[in-house]
Amino acid sequence: MTAPDVPEPPRIPEAVHRRRWAILGVLMLSLLIVVLDNSILNVAIKTISTPPPVGLGATQGELEWAINAYTLVFAGLLFTAGLLGDRLGRKKVLVGGLVVFGLGSALAAESGSPVQLIIFRAIMGIGAAFVMPATLAILMNVFERDEQPKAIGIWAGGVGIAIAIGPITGGLLLDHFWWGSVFLVNVPIVIIAVVLMLALVPDSRDPNPGRIDLVGVALSVVGLVLLVYGIIKGGQLADFTDPAVLLTIAAGLVVLIGFVLYEKRSDHPSIDITYFKNKVFSAAIAAIALVFFALMGVTFFSVFYTQSVRGYSPLQTGLLMLPLAAAQLIFAPRARLVVDRFGVRATTTGGLVILAAMLAAFTILDADTPIWILEVIFFLMGMGMAHVMTPTSVVIMQALPREKAGSASALSNTFRQVGGALGIAVLGSVLSTAYRSGIEDKLGLLPAGLRHTAGESIEATLGVAAKLGPRGDALVGAANDSFLHAMHVTAVCGAGIALVSAVVTVLFLPGRPPRTTAEESTEETVGAGR
């Protein structure tokens, strides 16, 4: 007879273990604020692009920067935020991040110009960078390993809640208040989250933290900003061969290559490059980045489709996005059960294939397509995402020791945010370029000074058409046709990116783990008892 396996003793203090689900609720509230902000902004971008006094008159490029200023600062500081949490204590860092985020939100609400909005969004990004990795790192330190997949699934489902609440909240606020209210709403949520955090959440840290890598942080932020700026500029000019565009993109790539080389040689790197020698870890990181690349780009143009082409209000647009959120909320916590049955590879690849198919399905949408078709597309997109985010998050977080949870979480969230930023920049530029090429021939009758402005985006064209009165009716139809063509081109690009990600997961993610002897014995016992 063999000795029975001795269960691993619990590593979580009993007092913390008893309130672990309440702690998860507080962490999800903190996560909610960060995700809520972007989902609210997605509904508000059309209003912000409207000339004063309704909005700020932001161009499409300024709108992309309003989103990406937040995302780039967020992504650039995540490595350092994860390390600071591991060194100083994750609870302290999380509370500090919430306070900065709340302050940035209050300032953004009072912005008087697109430039001010971009600056205050960057401040919000600083706060968010210290919130996001800390939530997942604390989760890994209050749940035992066997409960971590379930907890991460619920944590990922929190993204679905935020996606649902954000657009609806944004729509309600925009129907009754000025555009800045979509940022001011963050402040009371921050106050509640900070109070609950101080009361319930335990602190934790890495007993052997690394030094802060200031050079690495600077290189990563500069490289990302140059790269994304070049991509957005190319979209604005509808010319990626422009010398200024090519030089900016090349400079960004050079700085990012320098960042990787510096990190490889540093004795205290922001990113431990050796993590990426693990093919499973690298494939999971790539899958998350590419999913958000495709998703953020598509979300950006879908708002203009529903509001500018279809004529829905911000609140109605928020309600139309409910299926996307509901699917994430339903399927994210249950994705672990699919992984248990079919393995990480099959689950993640299946989710990516569904996502790619739904992105491609945007090509069937027209100005008068029944709206229920869009609802089905959104629901299946959310289902596909849920079966990618949960298993890949579990793979990433369990690939590193528990004491390095902050670093693992920072890596996961960094590549997610970088993927999203590049998705908005690249797919937004594809949209802008395709739109300008489609509408250019229809702008010949306009004065020379108005042609460039009117060709920047559908909102700009519709603004010019409104000033022309009855003579602008033909321009409205041309704007809708050009936008639909541009949306179809962009959707195909997004679908291609999702398929590339599916190939990566097929090649490198693990399949279903072999059954243990104990599991086989259990099945035999159950079978014999039938």
Side-chain angles (χ1 to χ4, degrees):
M1 289 181 65
T2 58
D5 292 336
V6 178
E8 184 181 344
R11 289 181 289 177
I12 308 298
E14 180 59 30
V16 173
H17 182 74
R18 280 199 305 269
R19 64 176 190 269
R20 65 195 184 283
W21 298 110
I23 292 170
L24 178 60
V26 179
L27 296 177
M28 286 178 64
L29 181 61
S30 303
L31 174 72
L32 178 77
I33 300 167
V34 175
V35 181
L36 182 77
D37 179 71
N38 267 339
S39 59
I40 282 183
L41 184 59
N42 284 333
V43 174
I45 54 178
K46 180 181 180 296
T47 305
I48 294 171
S49 70
T50 305
V54 175
L56 292 176
T59 65
Q60 185 155 318
E62 287 169 336
L63 288 174
E64 289 177 28
W65 273 112
I67 296 172
N68 282 336
Y70 174 91
T71 305
L72 287 173
V73 173
F74 188 3
L77 291 178
L78 273 168
F79 303 132
T80 299
L83 286 173
L84 277 175
D86 290 343
R87 171 186 284 273
L88 302 176
R90 288 138 191 163
K91 177 179 175 178
K92 296 185 187 71
V93 164
L94 201 160
V95 170
L98 286 171
V99 171
V100 172
F101 185 87
L103 177 63
S105 297
L107 291 170
E110 299 299 327
S111 299
S113 68
V115 172
Q116 287 184 9
L117 178 61
I118 291 167
I119 292 169
F120 296 142
R121 288 275 297 161
I123 293 174
M124 293 171 68
I126 295 172
F130 288 87
V131 172
M132 183 72 93
T135 61
L136 201 47
I138 291 171
L139 181 154
M140 298 299 288
N141 280 273
V142 298
F143 285 91
E144 296 291 350
R145 189 175 180 87
D146 60 336
E147 282 190 320
Q148 286 172 2
K150 181 179 180 181
I152 289 175
I154 295 170
W155 180 88
V159 176
I161 297 174
I163 292 174
I165 294 174
I168 295 170
T169 305
L172 284 169
L173 290 170
L174 291 172
D175 273 2
H176 295 93
F177 304 101
W178 92 116
W179 65 267
S181 61
V182 300
F183 297 110
L184 200 61
V185 71
N186 292 329
V187 176
I189 303 175
V190 164
I191 293 170
I192 293 169
V194 168
V195 171
L196 292 174
M197 190 74 57
L198 294 173
L200 291 173
V201 177
D203 209 352
S204 62
R205 66 184 72 196
D206 182 354
N208 299 300
R211 287 186 289 144
I212 303 303
D213 177 21
L214 295 177
V215 174
V217 171
L219 288 173
S220 64
V221 173
V222 170
L224 284 170
V225 169
L226 285 171
L227 177 62
V228 173
Y229 178 80
I231 293 169
I232 292 175
K233 192 66 178 175
Q236 286 177 322
L237 298 175
D239 182 10
F240 282 89
T241 62
D242 183 275
V245 172
L246 290 174
L247 283 173
T248 307
I249 292 174
L253 291 172
V254 168
V255 173
L256 289 175
I257 291 169
F259 166 70
V260 172
L261 295 175
Y262 178 82
E263 295 299 287
K264 287 179 72 174
R265 296 175 182 175
S266 175
D267 59 356
H268 58 287
S270 291
I271 301 180
D272 190 339
I273 302 298
T274 59
Y275 294 159
F276 293 92
K277 292 180 180 178
N278 182 331
K279 292 180 180 179
V280 172
F281 180 85
S282 297
I285 286 281
I288 278 188
L290 291 173
V291 161
F292 274 79
F293 180 101
L295 184 78
M296 291 297 287
V298 170
T299 304
F300 185 77
F301 70 64
S302 64
V303 171
F304 286 101
Y305 170 71
T306 54
Q307 293 188 40
S308 298
V309 176
R310 301 300 296 262
Y312 289 102
S313 70
L315 176 57
Q316 289 169 327
T317 298
L319 292 171
L320 287 174
M321 289 185 177
L322 265 178
L324 176 66
Q328 282 209 8
L329 192 58
I330 292 166
F331 292 106
R334 293 170 174 78
R336 64 188 176 84
L337 303 176
V338 183
V339 171
D340 290 343
R341 185 173 180 82
F342 299 105
V344 173
R345 182 195 300 150
T347 304
T348 305
T349 304
L352 286 166
V353 170
I354 291 171
L355 181 61
M358 291 308 102
L359 292 171
F362 271 88
T363 59
I364 68 173
L365 298 179
D366 214 332
D368 53 1
T369 302
I371 203 64
W372 65 263
I373 294 177
L374 177 63
E375 298 298 87
V376 171
I377 292 172
F378 275 151
F379 184 82
L380 292 176
M381 279 180 68
M383 184 177 76
M385 274 197 69
H387 287 91
V388 176
M389 284 180 59
T390 300
T392 51
S393 295
V394 172
V395 166
I396 292 165
M397 294 306 295
Q398 293 191 343
L400 302 182
R402 185 196 293 259
E403 60 272 14
K404 299 294 182 184
S407 300
S409 177
L411 278 171
S412 172
N413 286 297
T414 296
F415 279 85
R416 182 183 302 174
Q417 294 301 321
V418 170
L422 290 176
I424 291 169
V426 174
L427 296 184
S429 294
V430 170
L431 182 75
S432 181
T433 302
Y435 179 78
R436 185 181 286 278
S437 65
I439 196 69
E440 222 160 20
D441 294 341
K442 315 294 190 304
L443 302 177
L445 298 177
L446 293 177
L450 272 181
R451 285 178 204 162
H452 183 82
T453 302
E456 278 195 347
S457 67
I458 183 173
E459 206 51 42
T461 309
L462 294 177
V464 170
K467 293 176 183 176
L468 295 175
R471 293 183 301 144
D473 291 346
L475 198 54
V476 172
N480 287 341
D481 291 342
S482 298
F483 179 83
L484 288 168
H485 169 70
M487 182 180 79
H488 295 162
V489 172
T490 309
V492 169
C493 292
I497 294 296
L499 285 177
V500 169
S501 186
V503 172
V504 170
T505 58
V506 165
L507 292 176
F508 299 112
L509 285 187
R512 186 181 178 188
R515 292 182 300 173
T516 63
T517 305
E519 288 172 334
E520 290 174 355
S521 300
T522 302
E523 282 194 11
E524 289 171 6
T525 303
V526 171
R530 286 176 181 163

